């Protein structure tokens, strides 16, 4: 479980394809302070497991399922990535409850600077994601916990402060770039309770 408060920007140092999956190596510092093999680290909002560990970098395996459902398959050496360790029970919950389970890949449609120093960013998203998005609710974009500022038929808007732009990959995202999206899991549980179990049987 994560909070969507990015701890540091890591740098992809290598991506090695392997039988449909990929091993991703990332240079980092802060998230490695207490890392160990088998630990979880969120990469652009996707929870990955540490399978290799060195003093200044670590590696994770992304299987076909992960690459199909996230934007991690587009990563290349030199790319910056948002990194966050799992939350501890004694930590402050600065963002919202984030599982690190990406729901879909969206696309940055537009970014508009605002006079107050913020940037208004519009993200196109699938209908299956937007059904859980509400104004002033929380959503995770590339692992960043954000507050929804507006909703359209096929997109949502975020007002991003300068600090967030400076310390996450949102600062370098440009229109057309893919982003990982995770909706607030509480919305899914509420829907499940109201609608009931699916009538579809496996």
């Amino acid at each position: 479980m994560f909070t969507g408060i990015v701890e540091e920007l890591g740098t992809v140092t290598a991506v090695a394809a392997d039988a449909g999956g990929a091993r991703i190596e990332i240079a980092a510092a802060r998230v490695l302070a207490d890392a160990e093999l088998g630990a979880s680290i969120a990469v652009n909002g996707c929870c990955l497991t540490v399978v290799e560990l060195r003093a200044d970098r670590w590696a994770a395996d992304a299987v076909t399922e992960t690459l199909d459902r996230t934007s991690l398959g587009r990563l290349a050496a030199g790319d910056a990535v948002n990194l966050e360790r799992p939350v501890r029970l004694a930590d402050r919950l600065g963002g919202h409850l984030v599982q690190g389970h990406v729901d879909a890949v969206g696309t940055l449609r537009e970014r508009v600077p605002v006079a107050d120093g913020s940037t208004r960013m519009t993200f196109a998203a699938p209908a299956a994601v937007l059904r859980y998005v509400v104004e002033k609710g929380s959503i995770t974009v590339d692992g960043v916990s954000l507050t929804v500022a507006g909703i359209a038929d096929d997109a949502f808007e975020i007002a991003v402060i300068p600090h967030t732009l400076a310390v996450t990959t949102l600062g370098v995202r440009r229109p057309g770039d893919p982003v990982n999206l995770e909706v607030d899991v509480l919305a899914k549980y509420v829907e499940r309770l109201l609608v009931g179990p699916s009538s579809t049987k496996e």
Side-chain angles (χ1 to χ4, degrees):
M1 192 70 71
F2 305 89
T3 69
I5 303 299
V6 173
E7 294 188 82
E8 71 172 311
L9 281 171
T11 302
V12 176
T13 55
V15 178
D18 181 20
R23 176 157 293 194
I24 304 170
E25 185 182 79
I26 300 170
R30 185 171 183 180
V31 298
L32 298 183
D34 57 356
E36 57 186 23
L37 291 178
S40 296
I41 298 177
V43 178
N44 284 352
C46 180
C47 180
L48 297 179
T49 301
V50 177
V51 297
E52 287 185 12
L53 186 60
R54 285 187 266 173
D56 62 346
R57 63 195 60 207
W58 64 287
D61 289 329
V63 297
T64 304
E65 169 76 4
T66 300
L67 299 180
D68 287 346
R69 290 180 177 268
T70 73
S71 65
L72 297 187
R74 299 175 176 89
L75 290 176
D79 286 347
V81 287
N82 297 322
L83 301 177
E84 182 191 355
R85 289 170 291 184
V87 64
R88 294 171 296 192
L89 291 178
D91 287 344
R92 293 183 178 88
L93 185 59
H96 71 285
L97 293 177
V98 176
Q99 294 184 296
H101 302 161
V102 175
D103 290 303
V105 176
T107 304
L108 176 57
R109 177 176 292 173
E110 183 180 38
R111 57 181 300 154
V112 179
V114 182
D116 62 7
S118 67
T119 298
R120 195 87 170 188
M121 303 181 80
T122 302
F123 296 94
V129 167
L130 288 172
R131 66 185 296 172
Y132 301 111
V133 180
V134 297
E135 191 169 342
K136 300 305 178 184
S138 296
I139 190 166
T140 308
V141 178
D142 269 355
V144 184
S145 175
L146 298 166
T147 301
V148 178
I151 305 173
D153 290 339
D154 61 350
F156 64 92
E157 293 184 353
I158 302 290
V160 187
I161 64 173
H163 174 77
T164 301
L165 294 175
V167 301
T168 73
T169 58
L170 295 181
V172 297
R173 290 284 178 259
R174 295 293 176 263
D177 286 350
V179 292
N180 292 322
L181 302 176
E182 181 186 335
V183 299
D184 190 340
V185 68
L186 295 179
K188 294 181 181 180
Y189 282 120
V190 170
E191 179 184 60
R192 176 73 171 177
L193 289 170
L194 293 176
V195 174
S198 172
S199 58
T200 303
K201 294 186 178 180
E202 298 182 14

